[in-house]
Amino acid sequence: MSLRRILALLYREAVQGPKNFIFIFTIVVPLGLSLALGLIFGTFFSGKPRLGIFDSGSSQITQFAETMPGLIVQRYTSEAELRTATARGAVDVGIVLQDGFDQRLLSGQRGSLTVYVWGESLLRDRVLIGTALADWLRALAGHESPVVITTSVLGANSDLTWQQRLLPLLVLMTVVFGALMLPASSLVSEKQRRTLTALLVTPVTRAEIYVAKGMLGVALSTVMALLVLALNGAWSDQIGLVLLVLLLGAILSAEFGVLLGVLVKDINSLFATVKALGLLLYAPALIALFPVIPQWIAQIFPTYYMVDPVIAIVQRGATLNDIAPHLAVLVAMIVALAAGLRVVRER
């Protein structure tokens, strides 16, 4: 194979790429879904209630709130700013702590507390903040609670928000669809327009065409996957390791895409085949959505070994040693699929 010819073919693919709706789809859909998930699940199904505070003094209530792990606390510099933030939904509940509030409470005087509530906030969040506020006031006044409540969180993924649970599916869709469909649709389109035959008349070989088309899919899907992680707040300090896993996953997907492009005759058949394989491709992410399903079932599917290491790194802080077995399986599948592609090419 000639590197110069591969680069020339890659340039041709990159220039013609924006004319292909799959190319646009690969860029627009992951970004659109990331923004939608951030708006929907980050606001309406947030795992933590959001409390806004305007403290004109130095109330201990603010300290109690900021040390409570189950809340997202935002401080504001004026009551008007807090009121505006609550009205637009930046926080679920806003409280105003006037100067001298603690002293009045400690001296036994009856004080008043201004509370703003966002009308579209979840009842669950209002109750949690209200209960916490009552506990803080009781503690500040020096009254001990007659009951000690012990809370146990049950379920393997019960500490994850829906946005975090949906991240594997979003990463899989970005990597698999982009790296698979771009080379596959490009090859099928070349065959239908008979430009593939014209290319093969030149010194260019089939292997060089496959590599160039696969490289575009790998590059674009990897970049989009990194953007998806960043938009969903899943950026990691081990970004080099994340990039390695995404590249390997994209290479495996691109090889499968090239294989489909070689075997499938027209674009309709290609979409029908990908649709039929949808469950096989996205099953690991769908299983991760529901912790009641035995998670070992996901290991049956090949795409598990490309998405689980990424999620393990960005959500659980896994290291190279932790994901090494998964990477070994991923590399073995890449080698096996490359051998299969060679056999198909020779035939």
Side-chain angles (χ1 to χ4, degrees):
M1 287 192 293
S2 168
L3 179 60
R4 182 179 62 83
R5 289 198 294 265
I6 291 175
L7 292 177
L9 288 169
L10 180 60
Y11 175 77
R12 172 178 175 270
E13 290 293 322
V15 170
Q16 293 183 350
K19 302 175 184 177
N20 185 350
F21 78 96
I22 297 293
F23 187 96
I24 306 299
F25 199 81
T26 303
I27 296 175
V28 173
V29 170
L31 294 179
L33 286 177
S34 296
L35 293 175
L37 289 178
L39 289 173
I40 297 174
F41 292 99
T43 300
F44 298 107
F45 300 99
S46 176
K48 295 182 180 181
R50 296 158 300 157
L51 173 65
I53 298 177
F54 165 59
D55 187 358
S56 58
S58 298
S59 176
Q60 290 187 39
I61 298 294
T62 303
Q63 300 174 22
F64 291 152
E66 291 179 337
T67 56
M68 186 171 181
L71 288 180
I72 298 174
V73 179
Q74 177 67 46
R75 299 184 66 170
Y76 293 90
T77 57
S78 69
E79 183 176 351
E81 185 183 4
L82 173 63
R83 184 186 179 97
T84 302
T86 309
R88 71 169 187 267
V91 293
D92 298 305
V93 177
I95 58 175
V96 179
L97 299 169
Q98 299 294 348
D99 191 16
F101 176 82
D102 290 12
Q103 288 73 17
R104 287 193 296 273
L105 192 62
L106 289 171
S107 64
Q109 300 180 28
R110 188 176 182 84
S112 62
L113 188 66
T114 301
V115 178
Y116 297 114
V117 178
W118 180 40
E120 298 180 38
S121 62
L122 293 175
L123 179 60
R124 177 199 64 186
D125 294 341
R126 300 183 195 181
V127 171
L128 286 174
I129 293 176
T131 304
L133 182 58
D135 289 340
W136 300 334
L137 292 172
R138 187 184 299 111
L140 183 59
H143 303 302
E144 294 186 2
S145 175
V147 178
V148 177
I149 300 175
T150 302
T151 303
S152 298
V153 179
L154 304 178
N157 290 338
S158 55
D159 57 333
L160 297 179
T161 65
W162 271 103
Q163 187 175 10
Q164 291 172 318
R165 292 187 190 185
L166 284 166
L167 184 60
L169 181 60
L170 197 52
V171 171
L172 262 186
M173 288 177 62
T174 305
V175 175
V176 173
F177 186 85
L180 186 154
M181 285 300 294
L182 270 179
S185 61
S186 179
L187 274 172
V188 172
S189 179
E190 296 266 22
K191 288 193 293 184
Q192 288 184 312
R193 298 198 310 262
R194 301 187 182 279
T195 52
L196 185 60
T197 304
L199 276 176
L200 292 174
V201 173
T202 69
V204 172
T205 64
R206 288 184 181 271
E208 291 168 349
I209 294 173
Y210 298 163
V211 170
K213 293 183 182 298
M215 284 176 64
L216 180 64
V218 169
L220 185 60
S221 61
T222 302
V223 171
M224 294 310 301
L226 290 174
L227 285 176
V228 164
L229 291 174
L231 289 173
N232 285 271
W235 198 255
S236 171
D237 295 335
Q238 303 183 84
I239 191 60
L241 188 56
V242 173
L243 181 60
L244 172 63
V245 179
L246 290 175
L247 278 173
L248 291 175
I251 291 171
L252 180 64
S253 301
E255 287 181 341
F256 188 56
V258 170
L259 183 61
L260 284 180
V262 172
L263 298 178
V264 174
K265 295 182 179 180
D266 57 73
I267 198 70
N268 292 330
S269 300
L270 174 63
F271 277 104
T273 303
V274 173
K275 186 184 296 185
L277 294 173
L279 181 60
L280 177 66
L281 296 174
Y282 302 122
L286 297 175
I287 292 172
L289 284 175
F290 306 101
V292 295
I293 301 176
Q295 297 299 300
W296 63 265
I297 298 176
Q299 300 179 26
I300 300 174
F301 302 92
T303 50
Y304 169 83
Y305 299 94
M306 70 173 70
V307 69
D308 187 70
V310 174
I311 302 304
I313 296 168
V314 300
Q315 291 185 352
R316 303 192 292 271
T319 62
L320 178 59
N321 290 333
D322 298 324
I323 64 171
H326 294 72
L327 295 186
V329 175
L330 193 55
V331 171
M333 288 191 294
I334 290 173
V335 173
L337 199 51
L341 268 174
R342 183 173 181 178
V343 172
V344 172
R345 185 195 67 192
E346 290 175 352
R347 289 183 179 180

